[in-house]
Amino acid sequence: MPASLEELRKAISEARSVLMAKPNVTATGIGYKTTNGKKTSELSIICSVEVKRPRARLRSAEIVPATISGVPTDVFPTGPMRVLQDRTGRYRPAPGGVSIGHYAISAGTFGGLVTKNGVRYILSNNHVMANSNDASPGDSILQPGPADGGSWTNDEIARLSEFVPIVFEQNGDAGRGCRLAATAAGFLNFLAAIAGSRTRLRTYTVQTGTNKVDCAIAEPVSPGEVTNEIIELGSLNSTVEGELDMEVRKSGRTTGLSSGVIQQVDVTARVSFGADRVAVFEDQLMAGPMAQGGDSGSLVTDTQNNAVGLLFAGSSTTTIINRIQNVFSQLGVTLR
Amino acid sequence: MNREQTAKARSAKAKHEREWLAIDAVSAVGVGVREGEVCIIISVDTNPASLTSTIPAGVDDIPVVVERRGRIEPL
């Protein structure tokens, strides 16, 4: 006869302290037993463990009895338990991975700390801390960012020091580019339409510079208000070149800790910064979807906590990452 | 990873990417691996089938793969 819910509650309240004393059990609860990978209709006491190992490889103190007071048990692997932290709150000292932003933007991510001439700076994106070029050194950087309630009066954590300007594409159709090219493209697109093709050409002028990075640094108003740790990643070891098939991770304001794989290298990407503002970025890394809006500025690492890149853009299926070597060389910074 | 093949793909990409990036639907061009083979990957924000007549299946002995990846924006 299956145990009733009341019987289970009584059994678990009596056994909980014994079960939780086992070194491998991280949680106990009531739920349907799973047998051979299939959920059954039988209620059981479920003991959560990080990793489920064969009974023969367990010490006696780790073994969960098959029944407790006649009630069946089950062991469920959950992986490591961790505290889910709200990255949008106010942190002092503030670690990498939390909300940050220039006072005039919404919010991005505090990537981590870098050093220049012996001074520690917060590293993030230009579009997070320098408002996509529309900022001046000395501007207030808030933690949390304005979209997360950060205010100019209470939450200033740093002041903008430097940023690498983003070079935006000049749209030929807007009249600043080559009129002849625009006319030619228009004519070719007209012919393409007549021929039934949906492919369209666009005109653009060659940029006066090449973007390789979207980055900025800000000096903390007080060194004690920041910490070298990155939430759920810890501290960084070194830097490493991003390569195809490399497994990477990031700790960001919106999606927290996430992982992915470098799927493409040497990527040239057209990034839309809103109304009629497009910038082309060269020498980028592309990973699968591992970030959402607000994660910009996250440091991307390999599995050994070596910095690989600085996350700054993406779509629903992709993540675009500046190479950390380009970020460090253009800003003239180091990890320590 | 075949470094020689990757270098060849990078070179072919550099030679042709401007013409591909001039196509309205193209959002990125990079080098990756598909089915064990180093190739040039063109990310687009439209149905890849609509570009088969415009983008070749290969250049300089390097396969060219077109994938729908959506519009790329700052996050």
Side-chain angles (χ1 to χ4, degrees):
Chain A
M1 174 127 174
S4 69
L5 191 56
E6 279 309 308
E7 288 170 325
L8 270 126
R9 282 186 173 142
K10 186 168 181 292
I12 200 172
S13 68
E14 289 169 359
R16 179 168 279 134
S17 59
V18 174
L19 293 172
M20 289 301 293
K22 292 183 178 297
N24 52 333
V25 174
T26 55
T28 57
I30 295 169
Y32 291 107
K33 187 175 173 68
T34 300
T35 303
N36 296 327
K38 288 186 179 171
K39 193 168 81 175
T40 68
S41 59
E42 187 178 25
L43 282 169
S44 63
I45 294 173
I46 298 180
C47 295
S48 298
V49 295
E50 284 194 9
V51 180
K52 191 172 182 176
R53 296 197 299 269
R55 190 182 179 92
R57 293 183 56 197
L58 294 173
R59 290 176 288 151
S60 59
E62 294 177 320
I63 294 171
V64 173
T67 61
I68 294 173
S69 305
V71 174
T73 64
D74 198 5
V75 177
F76 181 72
T78 60
M81 292 277 193
R82 58 188 170 83
V83 176
L84 294 176
Q85 290 168 294
D86 179 11
R87 314 298 192 95
T88 61
R90 187 180 197 275
Y91 285 77
R92 294 297 184 275
V98 299
S99 171
I100 203 170
H102 181 272
Y103 69 84
I105 71 141
S106 51
T109 295
F110 172 166
L113 293 181
V114 292
T115 300
K116 183 170 185 172
N117 299 328
V119 179
R120 302 291 270 162
Y121 293 91
I122 293 171
L123 173 66
S124 188
N125 294 135
N126 171 332
H127 81 266
V128 171
M129 295 204 300
N131 195 18
S132 304
N133 298 349
D134 196 8
S136 303
D139 280 2
S140 290
I141 306 300
L142 311 181
Q143 195 296 305
D148 297 322
S151 77
W152 206 340
T153 48
N154 297 323
D155 301 310
E156 183 187 63
I157 192 168
R159 294 196 182 120
L160 179 64
S161 301
E162 295 176 38
F163 60 92
V164 178
I166 297 168
V167 180
F168 291 98
E169 203 171 68
Q170 301 292 326
N171 188 343
D173 295 330
R176 296 182 65 185
C178 175
R179 287 174 188 273
L180 182 61
T183 305
F187 179 67
L188 290 170
N189 285 337
F190 174 70
L191 291 180
I194 290 175
S197 169
R198 290 183 182 174
T199 304
R200 297 289 181 270
L201 296 175
R202 60 183 161 221
T203 59
Y204 60 92
T205 54
V206 176
Q207 295 179 166
T208 52
T210 303
N211 293 300
K212 287 192 174 176
V213 293
D214 174 355
C215 60
I217 52 174
E219 185 174 358
V221 289
S222 166
E225 297 212 342
V226 294
T227 166
N228 208 25
E229 296 288 302
I230 299 174
I231 290 188
E232 295 188 75
L233 283 179
S235 55
L236 299 176
N237 292 322
S238 184
T239 60
V240 68
E241 289 279 350
E243 292 183 350
L244 281 173
D245 292 335
M246 177 185 276
E247 194 180 325
V248 292
R249 305 182 296 178
K250 77 94 187 64
S251 175
R253 172 254 182 205
T254 307
T255 59
L257 182 68
S258 63
S259 59
V261 171
I262 302 294
Q263 298 176 342
Q264 292 182 43
V265 295
D266 196 19
V267 174
T268 305
R270 290 172 53 86
V271 181
S272 303
F273 279 74
D276 296 329
R277 288 222 297 178
V278 172
V280 176
F281 288 79
E282 295 180 345
D283 197 20
Q284 304 300 301
L285 303 168
M286 182 188 285
M290 56 183 286
Q292 291 176 17
D295 284 329
S296 271
S298 303
L299 273 167
V300 177
T301 72
D302 67 2
T303 54
Q304 308 302 311
N305 262 16
N306 297 305
V308 171
L310 188 66
L311 191 156
F312 84 106
S315 68
S316 59
T317 63
T318 195
T319 306
I320 308 292
I321 302 160
N322 300 155
R323 283 185 179 276
I324 202 69
Q325 291 75 14
N326 290 333
V327 172
F328 280 17
S329 69
Q330 293 210 17
L331 286 170
V333 300
T334 57
L335 212 49
R336 293 187 182 84
Chain B
M1 205 59 57
N2 185 332
R3 289 187 182 274
E4 193 182 325
Q5 201 66 5
T6 304
K8 202 170 159 187
R10 287 183 172 202
S11 167
K13 170 192 164 282
K15 201 159 80 177
H16 296 277
E17 70 177 354
R18 178 154 291 186
E19 62 196 81
W20 296 326
L21 285 164
I23 298 168
D24 210 28
V26 173
S27 53
V29 183
V31 172
V33 176
R34 292 294 178 270
E35 295 175 1
E37 198 169 9
V38 177
C39 55
I40 295 169
I41 302 172
I42 300 182
S43 301
V44 300
D45 60 9
T46 187
N47 180 3
S50 67
L51 296 166
T52 48
S53 61
T54 314
I55 297 175
V59 289
D60 305 339
D61 296 328
I62 300 292
V64 176
V65 176
V66 181
E67 294 180 349
R68 188 174 201 153
R69 289 287 192 157
R71 182 183 164 104
I72 298 172
E73 298 175 329
L75 294 176

